[in-house]
Amino acid sequence: MFLQLKKRKTSTKKFAGAKRRQVFSPLRQVCSQPSWRMVLHTNEVFSNQRKFTEKLAILIVRGNVACAVPMIILAGLMFFLKRRSPQYIYITWSDKNDWIAFMAFFIFETLTKAINISQFFLSQTWFLFAVAYLIIGISTVSTFLDHLPRQISYFRCLFLLNQAHNRCYPVTMLPVRFLFYFEFLIISAFVLIRLFTQINTTERAIMTELFFAFIISSFLVLHISGKMFKDSESLKWKLFQRAASLAGWEGKIWRKTAKSLQSFGVRVGSIRCISYAALSAFYITTTSVLTTVLVTFTDH
């Protein structure tokens, strides 16, 4: 019985490996073609796309660094000014004049905040890079003056890359991240509007930094996700139009092939891919909830 289970497990692993090779073999074949490499290195359109990619990458990195570094500095400054606040462990230390203990707690608080904030923005940067890479690939394929079969092969390769990217992180990651954006936007906006006169300058700076950091982050993530779905849908329709212009039995085959292509995008939970509608829905919901909170909790 043990040998049967072992053989069954081995056969299952072999089947899974063969299935993965079958799924990703078109991607390897297309990327290994000399024409694909030649296009990547010599095509003027791709050269322009590469310049745009570099600028976009620099913008994404600088934007996330500009959000993360001030937040880390303000978090350390907040502990330095309000070390006896109930949210810090230092409040349990009885000796207020012990500077060694204070520095130990200060390093601990600053280091933990720096790790958490850096991890958050680093994962966000990686996500934006991955999605931007696919968007640039879509725009590059759509500008190729190449024959239709190769364009369809490139589209399928981008589809496979998107599927691999969606499987790189848990299904609940993006819903939790959007909930995180939503909560901190509501909290920071409420504090800045209702409690502005009751907090000090450092706390105002932290709330302002949180508000702008998360409103920019949520806009970038939702906008770039919606753009990938829109661009893939446009490229799919463009390929179908090119196939429809072909005559004869060959045109009929390529029309069916182009019609079978699926648009792709960023998966959020059980939603296969999100569109630009998610961007407006997110900010409409945030504004509505913020208005309700402000009306419910007034100054009086």
Side-chain angles (χ1 to χ4, degrees):
M1 183 177 180
F2 176 75
L3 293 175
Q4 290 179 353
L5 290 174
K6 190 174 181 180
K7 289 180 179 178
R8 186 176 299 176
K9 188 181 294 185
T10 305
S11 62
T12 304
K13 289 182 179 179
K14 289 181 179 179
F15 176 76
K19 189 68 176 177
R20 282 196 298 270
R21 288 192 295 271
Q22 181 182 359
V23 170
F24 288 98
S25 59
L27 179 62
R28 297 191 186 98
Q29 291 175 3
V30 172
C31 292
S32 61
Q33 290 178 3
S35 58
W36 171 262
R37 296 177 182 176
M38 182 181 66
V39 166
L40 292 183
H41 291 288
T42 62
N43 196 302
E44 183 180 356
V45 175
F46 183 79
S47 178
N48 296 331
Q49 292 291 342
R50 185 173 60 183
K51 293 178 182 178
F52 173 73
T53 305
E54 293 173 355
K55 293 180 180 179
L56 182 62
I58 292 172
L59 179 63
I60 291 174
V61 171
R62 287 180 177 176
N64 283 275
V65 170
C67 291
V69 173
M71 199 175 294
I72 295 171
I73 296 173
L74 290 172
L77 184 61
M78 186 68 185
F79 174 80
F80 186 82
L81 296 176
K82 288 199 167 186
R83 67 197 73 169
R84 288 294 174 177
S85 297
Q87 67 265 26
Y88 297 120
I89 307 176
Y90 185 69
I91 195 175
T92 60
W93 194 261
S94 58
D95 190 0
K96 298 181 180 180
N97 298 322
D98 190 352
W99 282 95
I100 297 177
F102 169 74
M103 290 304 299
F105 279 103
F106 177 75
I107 293 173
F108 171 76
E109 291 289 343
T110 306
L111 185 61
T112 53
K113 298 294 189 303
I115 292 173
N116 290 329
I117 294 172
S118 301
Q119 181 271 336
F120 178 84
F121 284 101
L122 183 63
S123 62
Q124 178 174 280
T125 304
W126 170 83
F127 175 83
L128 292 173
F129 274 154
V131 178
Y133 171 78
L134 288 171
I135 291 175
I136 293 167
I138 293 171
S139 61
T140 304
V141 172
S142 63
T143 54
F144 279 169
L145 298 176
D146 207 342
H147 63 287
L148 183 63
R150 189 168 296 167
Q151 281 189 313
I152 291 177
S153 298
Y154 295 160
F155 185 91
R156 286 174 172 170
C157 289
L158 292 173
F159 177 82
L160 290 175
L161 287 174
N162 177 72
Q163 293 296 314
H165 171 242
N166 284 333
R167 294 176 183 177
C168 285
Y169 45 80
V171 180
T172 57
M173 190 196 79
L174 283 179
V176 171
R177 185 173 288 265
F178 289 141
L179 180 62
F180 192 76
Y181 292 150
F182 174 78
E183 290 176 348
F184 271 87
L185 282 174
I186 297 296
I187 293 171
S188 58
F190 178 80
V191 171
L192 288 173
I193 295 172
R194 285 284 182 258
L195 307 176
F196 188 79
T197 58
Q198 303 177 24
I199 57 178
N200 56 32
T201 305
T202 305
E203 291 171 335
R204 292 172 186 172
I206 290 176
M207 290 296 107
T208 305
E209 168 71 17
L210 284 175
F211 180 78
F212 283 105
F214 288 117
I215 200 170
I216 293 172
S217 298
S218 59
F219 176 80
L220 283 176
V221 172
L222 288 168
H223 182 272
I224 202 169
S225 301
K227 181 173 176 56
M228 182 165 66
F229 175 75
K230 181 183 177 182
D231 289 355
S232 66
E233 188 75 19
S234 300
L235 179 57
K236 174 188 171 182
W237 177 246
K238 184 177 180 180
L239 294 176
F240 180 76
Q241 286 181 325
R242 287 197 60 187
S245 63
L246 299 177
W249 63 270
E250 186 178 359
K252 185 177 181 180
I253 292 175
W254 287 116
R255 280 194 296 272
K256 290 183 178 180
T257 304
K259 194 174 181 179
S260 66
L261 297 176
Q262 295 183 14
S263 55
F264 51 88
V266 176
R267 181 187 62 183
V268 179
S270 59
I271 303 174
R272 187 177 67 87
C273 50
I274 58 176
S275 62
Y276 275 131
L279 180 65
S280 58
F282 177 81
Y283 286 111
I284 289 173
T285 305
T286 304
T287 306
S288 177
V289 174
L290 177 60
T291 305
T292 304
V293 172
L294 291 174
V295 171
T296 304
F297 301 97
T298 59
D299 294 333
H300 304 289

